[in-house]
Amino acid sequence: MTPTHGGPGEAPPVALRTEALEQLLTERGLIDPKAMNEVITTYETNVGPLNGAKVVARAWTDPEYRRRLLRDGTTAIDELGFSGRQGEHIVVVENTATTHHVVVCTLCSCYPWPVLGLPPSWYKDPAYRARVVKEPRTVLSEMGLELGDDVRITVHDSTSEVRWLVLPERPAGTEHLSEEQLVPLVTREAMVGVAKVAAP
Amino acid sequence: MTAPLDIEGPAAPPRSNGELVFAEPWESRAFGMAVSLYEAGAFTWPEFQAALIARIAAWEAAAAPDEPYHYYRLWLAALEDTLADRCGVTADEVTARTLALAQRPPGHDHRDGHDHGHDHERHHAH
């Protein structure tokens, strides 16, 4: 194999090649740099479960925000600047020691992606969509979440009218953590209700 | 329309807690180009995906054990492969333009493009 880097006659860096390709495509009208910037911004900043994690961490640390969030999810989430397509009509339900909520979209795969990012592949799986409604305890157990018999499970079906977001339980032993420190603990799975948040 | 990015498997882009991760700005440009071109109908997603998987497989077969894996280098190569097939943008053209960009004097504002009148005197022997 001939190395393609290092030494004299080194190939220009890949960043330059990317720029060259972008120039050529722009000149030929194949891409519009403005539209492309929007695509990048959407994926970088608007599509990500981190937004949902920020909502959860705020609710864990600010009781007043938590109340607002549970009363009117869309407005409270919008307060943090997360809104837009597929982010309308979000209803937030809270998991406790005795109540557990899990979200599914039985018809298609409605999903609040401004707060949760792109849906995980299992979420669109017909088996998950069909079975979680009929036997949630079994399906959750198969996904690694064992719930005691005293825990009441409610399954919420997302539609274009209502998209559900689960506010997971704040794990024990995280009382000393700040809002910023809590954010990375919150996973997409926990906000769909198929996992719990673990303490670090 | 959202690009049906792979969630799992070799062609899935690097993610952290479900979010895309770009190590350098050019990676997000390469990503944005592919998604924009797909959205504009320049190619179908399976076409690009197949090119990406082929590039990943070729890298895996040829790479030295300690050679670092760079997902977006392969992504860019796959994009070029797809464009060569579907849009007639050849690798030679891209190489020529890359070399031209590399010749820019330091500090030259290449995004502005107002200062192109200072061609270096070059005489080609025939």
Side-chain angles (χ1 to χ4, degrees):
Chain A
M1 286 271 97
T2 317
T4 52
H5 47 75
E10 192 177 346
V14 65
L16 220 47
R17 194 169 181 94
T18 309
E19 190 183 340
L21 185 61
E22 190 182 332
Q23 274 192 3
L24 286 168
L25 293 170
T26 307
E27 285 164 13
R28 294 182 188 188
L30 288 165
I31 54 169
D32 167 8
K34 228 173 113 188
M36 184 176 138
N37 286 340
E38 274 169 32
V39 165
I40 296 169
T41 308
T42 300
Y43 279 91
E44 273 189 330
T45 61
N46 303 342
V47 179
L50 190 64
N51 293 346
K54 285 177 187 159
V55 170
V56 169
R58 173 68 57 88
W60 281 347
T61 51
D62 179 346
E64 195 44 52
Y65 182 77
R66 182 178 144 271
R67 262 192 291 279
R68 287 204 297 281
L69 183 68
L70 293 171
R71 200 174 52 226
D72 180 354
T74 309
T75 307
I77 288 166
D78 190 45
E79 247 181 74
L80 299 191
F82 313 133
S83 55
R85 197 151 74 95
Q86 309 237 344
E88 311 94 346
H89 319 301
I90 298 181
V91 177
V92 181
V93 280
E94 185 179 34
N95 281 348
T96 66
T98 53
T99 6
H100 188 87
H101 298 277
V102 58
V103 183
V104 65
C105 176
T106 52
L107 288 177
C108 44
S109 49
C110 295
Y111 192 76
W113 57 263
V115 274
L116 289 190
L118 302 172
S121 51
W122 54 259
Y123 188 80
K124 299 189 227 175
D125 182 7
Y128 172 76
R129 283 156 42 193
R131 287 184 56 224
V132 77
V133 183
K134 289 185 214 141
E135 39 177 0
R137 202 173 294 272
T138 312
V139 171
L140 291 176
S141 155
E142 284 167 12
M143 295 179 88
L145 178 60
E146 300 286 351
L147 295 171
D149 290 337
D150 58 327
V151 178
R152 191 188 134 93
I153 303 175
T154 312
V155 181
H156 299 275
D157 197 353
S158 256
T159 63
S160 50
E161 276 82 46
V162 180
R163 290 164 208 279
W164 301 88
L165 179 72
V166 176
L167 173 59
E169 268 184 283
R170 181 169 176 169
T174 59
E175 295 74 16
H176 61 291
L177 297 182
S178 67
E179 188 180 330
E180 289 72 29
Q181 289 171 315
L182 289 165
V183 171
L185 307 182
V186 185
T187 62
R188 180 177 59 185
E189 277 72 10
M191 293 184 281
V192 180
V194 299
K196 287 191 180 228
V197 176
Chain B
M1 184 163 46
T2 314
L5 297 168
D6 283 11
I7 305 282
E8 284 157 335
R15 292 170 196 264
S16 165
N17 196 16
E19 283 193 284
L20 296 173
V21 178
F22 300 114
E24 292 176 55
W26 72 264
E27 296 187 350
S28 67
R29 304 305 293 174
F31 173 83
M33 257 191 276
V35 173
S36 303
L37 287 160
Y38 155 73
E39 289 188 352
F43 47 74
T44 69
W45 199 254
E47 280 170 335
F48 175 66
Q49 215 168 19
L52 179 57
I53 289 169
R55 279 286 181 173
I56 292 170
W59 182 86
E60 280 172 350
D66 58 343
E67 195 173 327
Y69 176 69
H70 290 292
Y71 177 83
Y72 280 106
R73 282 173 189 263
L74 302 172
W75 173 285
L76 183 72
L79 179 60
E80 285 196 42
D81 294 344
T82 311
L83 291 171
D85 287 348
R86 297 297 307 262
C87 304
V89 178
T90 67
D92 287 349
E93 269 181 290
V94 183
T95 303
R97 180 63 64 98
T98 307
L99 292 170
L101 292 179
Q103 301 299 314
R104 282 179 305 200
H108 178 84
D109 186 3
H110 55 275
R111 295 258 175 225
D112 205 1
H114 62 85
D115 198 16
H116 284 153
H118 56 81
D119 232 3
H120 304 286
E121 296 259 288
R122 262 191 209 158
H123 301 284
H124 299 274
H126 290 285

